[in-house]
Amino acid sequence: MKEYFKENQKIAYSTLINCKKNNKFPQAILLNGYKDTHLLEIAKYVAKSIICENEEPCEECLDCLRIDNESYTDLIIVEILSKVQNVFEKAITII
């Protein structure tokens, strides 16, 4: 996932690297892209990179496992595309 993220979300990846170097993180990170571009997996990778105590996400600690299960209480991942599509579909049925 790291290589995919590095190649397809260059700005977000460089921002993440700079944040880790300076130990200063933004309140939110916006990832954008077309459908089926693994944005949810990238968002989880970014969260693990920030939260995991190791330099790279270990995939084994409690925090990494909670992020994978979407049960980490301090993390909110919003899938805007699905929300917008639902609203659009409802608007069409009303009209």
Side-chain angles (χ1 to χ4, degrees), residues 11-85:
I11 295 171
Y13 182 79
S14 63
T15 300
L16 177 63
I17 297 301
N18 289 332
C19 290
K20 288 191 83 155
K21 285 180 186 175
N22 299 323
N23 200 25
K24 294 182 180 178
F25 297 96
Q27 293 180 354
I29 297 175
L30 177 63
L31 301 173
N32 65 353
Y34 297 105
K35 189 176 181 179
D36 299 327
T37 54
H38 306 286
L39 292 177
L40 181 59
E41 290 84 2
I42 291 172
K44 288 180 180 181
Y45 178 82
V46 169
K48 289 180 210 172
S49 297
I50 293 170
I51 296 167
C52 186
E53 295 293 326
N54 300 313
E55 193 167 313
E56 291 287 322
C58 67
E59 308 291 338
E60 297 174 359
C61 69
L62 186 59
D63 290 333
C64 284
L65 295 175
R66 285 182 177 165
I67 290 169
D68 278 338
N69 296 331
E70 298 182 22
S71 62
Y72 192 85
T73 56
D74 293 335
L75 176 68
I76 300 171
I77 298 175
V78 179
E79 295 181 63
I80 298 296
L81 182 60
S82 63
K83 305 287 186 215
V84 171
Q85 285 177 340

